[in-house]
Amino acid sequence: MMGSLAGVRVLDCSEGIAGSMAAMYLGDFGAEVLKVEAPAGDATRSDPGFAVWNRNKSSIVLDLDAVDDRMRLQELIRGAHLCVFTASLARLEHFGIDPVSVAALNAACVYLHMPAFARRGPSSNLPESAELMSAWAGVSSSQYSFGSGPVDPVIPHVTYGQAIWAAAAAVAALDERQRTGFGQSLTIGGLHGWLMTMTGSVTRRPGAPDLHAPGGPGGPVPFYRLYECADGEWLFLAALTPAFHTAAFAALGVLEEFLTDQRLGGELLATALPEHAPWVIERVAQAFKARPRSEWLKVLRDAGCPAGPVLSRDEWFDHDQVHAIGMRVAIEDTQRGRVDMPGLPLQLSRTPASIRFGSPTLGSGALPEWPPVPVPRGRALGTRGPLAGIRVLDLGSIIAGTYAGSLLATLGADVIKVEAPNGDNLRNFGPTFFGYNLGKRSLVLDLRKDAGRTAFLGMVAQSDVVVDNYRPGVLNRLGLDYESLCAVNPRIVSVSITGYGEVGPLGQEPGFDPLLQAASGMMRAQGGDHDPVFFLLPVNDVASASTAALGASLALFHRTRSGEGQRVRTSLAAQSIMMQCRELVRFEGRPSPKKGGRDFRGPSMLDRLYETADGWVRLRADGPVSTTEVGRLGLHVPVSESDLETAIRILPTAEVAERLRGTTVAAVPVRTLAQLVEHPEFTSEGVVQRVFLADGSETYASGVFVQFSRTPLPPPSRAPGLGEHSLEVLADFGLSPAQIDALLTERVTVQGSPFTMP
């Protein structure tokens, strides 16, 4: 079997992590990927991650300062189906390889532009850096920590997220191109990568302040955080739903105590309120200190409550579960010898991915003779997104599954969120639910009842994609497994996200994002030699959602070519590997991956966070720093870290950035989420929108996740209320008024009201 993208020619003119990794996903699914490098090679060639991000590619060298090489590149562009660029628009325009120029050379080409930050504006010339982006876009200032200052990430989650989401949107554009014949340009910059990873935190009322969450680096919610046990080992308690945190408190022996405490009023969810969380956390921490971790994990497992150990990266990469789901593979690399690297995080039943060869040596590939792509005929019509006309039934809940549906909606699909009568448990966390459910309609349908199952299968017959994140076996019990879906619609694409995959020693376990943060070594790496750290952004959930969107796009692309549907699978466990792909890759002589520490500020003097007179600034030196450059801060070489701290602390943030402008040291202000929702660079790019709710109130929310030139989309619509569109959706699928009345009478469906923020 060949990959979904077999026969697709990709010209990878990117440099750095995000563009290379996006092209890697295309190569894994069968595309012919040609990496175009400058004579000095990609700057990441010495990075351990290069071996992963550039597998399944060949390499040629072109010097764009030379006229002949620019002409060679133009010939390649004429034969490419997709091109990837990461340089600034100004630089691309200088060399005549900007979107408009490429469209003139090849109107059928999909042009993927992945700038490090934004397309235009002050940030457009900043270098690719997850650390700078995290500071600039509110990630660092939002991180759980002991103090109130920002925390520097040790893993480039935002950059990896940009890569996955770019691959998903690019394949959707390829599918639309296959149907119309016309290419287009799409932009997914670092800003869009930030939005994809942080969308759950963007929703906020205008004027709402940023408050430092209680609980330290372990997290602010007593039933969903890190705890240390009697033996000094750590575990994560993932009792997110009401049933789970009731079971957890009972197992810990504190349930009756909390139920009778007058401060809580008999409501366990009140333990998560800021006024109660600190003392509740202290009481639960005291209980955990009574036994070693192994005992508590057994007690909680027997109680049916999810919990998991905090492990190291090496322990996870060597784990039987990682081997069982194929997420560790050995490849012979021409430069590094044997390389143990992350495997394939996405399984497609008909068109599987494959790792055919390792990363190329510089310029080792031959210049291919790609025939020009045929000029499309007719008129290039636009639609509202490349997936316009695609119907998605979203059975997802909490984050990973349901966010996958929302991402497909941002690509133009009509997404119907199918909920049980009591709704998605995430509705208990209103702003978070809102962020992960934009752009959908909501239908209440009780799938445990025969009438509900019959109605759902009737909808499947008229749909294109079904998304779920049930535990393995649940779909079978509901009679909605892939075989049952195919029986009513052989063209259906079924996308499933599980916690740990469907095989292996943990295959049947429930999966929550922080359980994989803990097991995979992320938390321990961020904490370094100090306490482990719970990441605010749900790293594995959002990566699984965007990977699922990529899988759906790949399957739809194959279906457009062949008429065949297929089953698509991924897991949080797979993403816990991919979101540390550079950090986990192994080969002889590789340097140790970065690790953090207590409220980590950065790895070195000129690559870290500094407090200023009115806030914080993040510095990043790109090469040696001269005496003249240091002199701009009133210092002389040699400079110590304490000297730099003292000099910067008395200057306003804006002045630090201004003094270092034009030097080899990039300096960006550290923003909070409250500051950035109205910042011009965010609003001008459309990544944040102001949404009016049904009750007349308003909130900030995520805006445009990707910018398409020919199939542009408005910002996604507000999240739906429970069953808000039930009658509308059932009628759209052809049910008669009498049939709908019967479902209402039997409480199989419910007509609800629009969403209101708690």
Side-chain angles (χ1 to χ4, degrees), residues 478-697:
L478 290 172
L480 299 176
D481 54 286
Y482 176 60
E483 288 71 22
S484 299
L485 302 183
C486 282
V488 297
N489 183 356
R491 288 170 51 85
I492 198 71
V493 171
S494 173
V495 182
S496 293
I497 304 170
T498 56
Y500 295 92
E502 298 179 358
V503 296
L506 302 177
Q508 299 301 308
E509 295 296 313
F512 287 90
D513 173 83
L515 292 180
L516 274 305
Q517 286 188 28
S520 67
M522 291 181 186
M523 290 180 171
R524 182 167 287 179
Q526 184 66 47
D529 296 327
H530 210 271
D531 296 357
V533 176
F534 179 15
F535 288 90
L536 170 79
L537 66 92
V539 180
N540 306 294
D541 273 334
V542 297
S544 293
S546 55
T547 301
L550 170 60
S553 295
L554 287 162
L556 289 170
F557 180 83
H558 173 72
R559 193 184 73 169
T560 300
R561 296 209 285 193
S562 69
E564 300 174 330
Q566 60 182 309
R567 187 178 183 216
V568 179
R569 293 173 294 148
T570 191
S571 67
L572 273 66
Q575 310 322 317
S576 75
I577 299 295
M578 292 309 299
M579 294 300 271
Q580 299 185 96
C581 51
R582 171 175 63 190
E583 292 71 25
L584 289 173
V585 66
R586 291 180 187 170
F587 51 86
E588 187 175 350
R590 76 145 289 166
S592 297
K594 184 166 66 173
K595 69 176 184 177
R598 181 186 172 101
D599 289 1
F600 186 58
R601 304 297 188 215
S604 64
M605 182 177 68
L606 289 171
D607 188 13
R608 58 158 289 186
L609 295 152
Y610 286 94
E611 191 170 7
T612 66
D614 59 355
W616 290 79
V617 68
R618 180 55 163 85
L619 305 186
R620 179 181 179 272
D622 186 17
V625 179
S626 69
T627 303
T628 302
E629 290 172 334
V630 170
R632 295 191 181 193
L633 295 173
L635 299 171
H636 302 283
V637 174
V639 179
S640 70
E641 194 165 286
S642 61
D643 291 337
L644 203 52
E645 283 183 331
T646 301
I648 291 176
R649 194 182 294 271
I650 63 174
L651 298 173
T653 303
E655 186 171 343
V656 175
E658 183 59 34
R659 289 192 183 195
L660 292 173
R661 191 181 307 280
T663 72
T664 57
V665 182
V668 300
V670 177
R671 297 196 181 98
T672 66
L673 292 172
Q675 291 170 333
L676 66 85
V677 290
E678 292 187 341
H679 192 275
E681 277 197 271
F682 289 80
T683 55
S684 65
E685 291 287 320
V687 295
V688 177
Q689 62 169 320
R690 209 158 177 166
V691 178
F692 286 91
L693 303 181
D695 60 3
S697 64

Side-chain angles (χ1 to χ4, degrees), residues 3 8 16 102 202 215 257 295 409 587 648-649 667 731 745:
V8 173
V102 168
V202 173
E257 181 181 333
E295 289 188 23
F587 51 86
I648 291 176
R649 194 182 294 271
T745 301

Side-chain angles (χ1 to χ4, degrees), residues 205-206 434 689-701 717-719 754-755:
R205 299 284 195 184
F434 192 90
Q689 62 169 320
R690 209 158 177 166
V691 178
F692 286 91
L693 303 181
D695 60 3
S697 64
E698 57 183 318
T699 184
Y700 289 108
S717 59
R718 60 174 176 76
F755 181 94

